[in-house]
Amino acid sequence: MNNDHNINDDNDLNGLAPKLSKLSSNNPFNPSNDYFDSFTSKLQNRIDDEEEIKSFAPTLLSIDKYNPFEVPTDYFEELPTIIQERVIQSKEKSTTLDWLFWLLRPRFAFSFIAIILLSIIGIYYTNNNNTKQSLSTEELSLEDNLYYINENLIVEHLTTDASASIESISDDENSIENYLLDNNIEELNLSSEL
Amino acid sequence: MKSEVNHSKPKASALDQEIIDQFRNEATRNYAFNLLVREYQKRLYWHIRKIIIDHDDTDDVLQNVFIKVWRHLGNFKEESQLFTWMYRIATNESINFLNAKKKRAGIPLDDVSAFLANTLESDSYYKGDEIQTKLQKAILTLPDKQRIVFNMKYFEEMKYTEMSEILETSVGALKASYHHAVKKIEDYLTKD
């Protein structure tokens, strides 16, 4: 009897609204999973709270409890994207700073400073070596240059210099002798005075 | 009194645990964070908005809260529930923001009522009728901490035990604070 009644209802709906009759009759509203589990305790809490303040705050209880604040249209739809973008920005900014803070943590600071000191010493030492090496390279290059100069030229240059100095020395000796003779100074007296 | 604060390790909900686990995995971190924002953005927004009143300021603070959550969620010790932890961050950020704003405007920290009432009336996203506006102004006469307690209990209908974890205050102190707040609001509403 009941089935017959349902069949008749379905036929009526088909005739009246064929599109609607083809749609699923499942409930499309879906509250959160724990809604019905927590509903009783929430309701009881609310009753208890109201009972508690009813005696001394009747005016407050008479005012409708609703949220008078609003948000811009689509605010909550757009917010996750905005926050995700800000997180990416803050990640980019903080990467360099994080490294610095990480290195300056007490347990890493000593090692970090030691590495920097060793690096400075290393650089200083390497620079010094380079200077020495460049000096010895200069010396080598001088020797190389001498190697390519004609030997006879060097000998000639040296002997000319030597004879010139000998001549100048003998000139000096003659002038001293002349001075002594001119002033009638004897060599023996001079040596005893000295 | 302080010893009444509940320090037992709470059981995280399945979704919270999923978010925490996925966040700790580099490959699923962004997905988990997105899930977290979508799940908690409304609750945190309304919590902050009730403290700060102005929408634009609330938006700034909410974004800062989520940035902080992003930075510290990897080290979250699960000694409290995820939402409790985030509520605590949101509450502290809101109070700090409000104090900084009051300082910039040269208002004494304990004389905020008129300042916030002006904010309320000038906020284009406030649509309360006359009696509701009177109620909101009455709430704004409360000290910051008491105002937060009142809003959490009266509007958010939060349990004292949850509030105790968030505000790190004993249940007894919270009950007393709420009681005083209700009395003050009732007095304000009936004085004219």
Side-chain angles (χ1 to χ4, degrees):
Chain A
M1 186 74 182
N2 231 349
N3 280 344
D4 290 346
H5 183 72
N6 282 342
I7 289 164
N8 285 338
D9 281 353
D10 286 347
N11 286 337
D12 286 349
L13 193 62
N14 274 332
L16 281 170
K19 281 187 180 172
L20 177 65
S21 69
K22 284 174 191 164
L23 293 176
S24 165
S25 58
N26 289 339
N27 183 4
F29 302 103
N30 190 17
S32 64
N33 292 338
D34 62 344
Y35 176 77
F36 291 110
D37 297 335
S38 59
F39 180 77
T40 317
S41 69
K42 274 175 84 173
L43 187 65
Q44 192 58 51
N45 281 340
R46 189 164 174 181
I47 292 167
D48 291 345
D49 290 344
E50 290 196 358
E51 284 295 318
E52 190 190 330
I53 61 172
K54 192 169 70 178
S55 58
F56 62 94
T59 319
L60 172 63
L61 280 180
S62 70
I63 298 171
D64 283 344
K65 210 189 263 191
Y66 73 92
N67 183 4
F69 299 97
E70 292 180 344
V71 291
T73 320
D74 296 334
Y75 175 71
F76 289 117
E77 282 72 34
E78 290 163 5
L79 188 64
T81 315
I82 294 167
I83 289 171
Q84 205 81 28
E85 281 167 7
R86 274 202 62 186
V87 162
I88 292 164
Q89 281 174 3
S90 80
K91 264 200 287 187
E92 284 167 359
K93 271 186 203 167
S94 62
T95 313
T96 338
L97 283 174
D98 282 350
W99 264 99
L100 196 65
F101 283 123
W102 186 78
L103 287 171
L104 291 175
R105 278 180 187 177
R107 59 181 156 161
F108 296 120
F110 182 74
S111 320
F112 180 59
I113 291 165
I115 289 168
I116 288 182
L117 280 176
L118 284 173
S119 308
I120 291 168
I121 292 166
I123 291 165
Y124 179 76
Y125 182 75
T126 318
N127 280 348
N128 264 2
N129 268 0
N130 283 344
T131 321
K132 279 179 188 169
Q133 272 180 353
S134 63
L135 277 174
S136 57
T137 317
E138 275 172 26
E139 283 166 11
L140 277 174
S141 61
L142 190 66
E143 274 182 28
D144 286 347
N145 286 338
L146 286 170
Y147 182 79
Y148 291 109
I149 296 172
N150 189 341
E151 208 171 293
N152 292 333
L153 276 174
I154 299 169
V155 172
E156 193 181 319
H157 179 75
L158 289 173
T159 49
T160 318
D161 276 1
S163 60
S165 63
I166 290 164
E167 274 172 22
S168 68
I169 289 167
S170 60
D171 282 353
D172 285 347
E173 280 177 356
N174 287 336
S175 62
I176 292 167
E177 240 175 16
N178 290 334
Y179 175 80
L180 291 171
L181 286 170
D182 290 343
N183 291 294
N184 202 19
I185 299 169
E186 285 190 14
E187 204 172 337
L188 278 171
N189 290 341
L190 192 67
S191 60
S192 64
E193 274 178 34
L194 288 169
Chain B
M1 287 289 265
K2 200 81 179 162
S3 59
E4 287 178 49
V5 178
N6 186 10
H7 287 299
S8 59
K9 194 173 176 176
K11 197 173 178 290
S13 73
L15 180 67
D16 284 358
Q17 199 56 58
E18 187 192 335
I19 289 171
I20 294 165
D21 292 343
Q22 296 211 26
F23 188 85
R24 284 177 181 155
N25 181 352
E26 184 77 43
T28 52
R29 181 166 295 170
N30 285 341
Y31 166 77
F33 187 67
N34 204 277
L35 198 64
L36 177 140
V37 173
R38 286 182 192 283
E39 178 66 19
Y40 288 108
Q41 58 174 353
K42 285 186 185 173
R43 290 172 78 180
L44 290 178
Y45 174 88
W46 291 119
H47 179 65
I48 298 167
R49 178 80 183 269
K50 293 269 170 61
I51 302 171
I52 291 175
I53 306 297
D54 179 68
H55 164 74
D56 293 329
D57 291 342
T58 304
D59 182 46
D60 283 346
V61 173
L62 181 62
Q63 289 187 29
N64 290 340
V65 167
F66 277 119
I67 301 286
K68 278 204 166 174
V69 169
W70 165 270
R71 284 187 189 147
H72 300 287
L73 187 58
N75 300 323
F76 177 56
K77 288 175 184 158
E78 296 175 56
E79 285 166 357
S80 56
Q81 286 198 41
L82 184 59
F83 101 93
T84 310
W85 177 66
M86 291 196 298
Y87 254 72
R88 201 180 302 147
I89 296 173
T91 308
N92 292 336
E93 283 287 307
S94 305
I95 291 173
N96 290 343
F97 176 87
L98 215 50
N99 287 341
K101 193 170 179 179
K102 282 182 246 174
K103 209 173 174 182
R104 277 200 303 274
I107 298 159
L109 293 183
D110 53 354
D111 183 21
V112 71
S113 167
F115 169 72
L116 285 177
N118 281 339
T119 310
L120 182 76
E121 282 166 338
S122 62
D123 189 355
S124 54
Y125 296 110
Y126 174 78
K127 299 283 181 270
D129 58 17
E130 193 183 339
I131 186 70
Q132 188 61 229
T133 303
K134 194 171 182 183
L135 170 59
Q136 290 301 326
K137 284 184 177 175
I139 296 168
L140 292 176
T141 61
L142 304 173
D144 285 346
K145 190 92 185 269
Q146 208 173 56
R147 190 157 62 90
I148 292 167
V149 170
F150 179 81
N151 280 328
M152 287 168 97
K153 187 69 196 155
Y154 191 75
F155 288 108
E156 298 178 48
E157 295 174 0
M158 206 176 269
K159 289 177 186 166
Y160 282 118
T161 47
E162 286 176 336
M163 290 165 65
S164 169
E165 271 191 61
I166 294 163
L167 302 173
E168 295 177 307
T169 310
S170 70
V171 169
L174 290 172
K175 281 184 178 175
S177 183
Y178 179 65
H179 190 86
H180 285 304
V182 171
K183 271 189 137 180
K184 282 185 199 171
I185 290 167
E186 182 70 13
D187 287 347
Y188 185 97
L189 293 172
T190 52
K191 73 181 173 187
D192 294 329

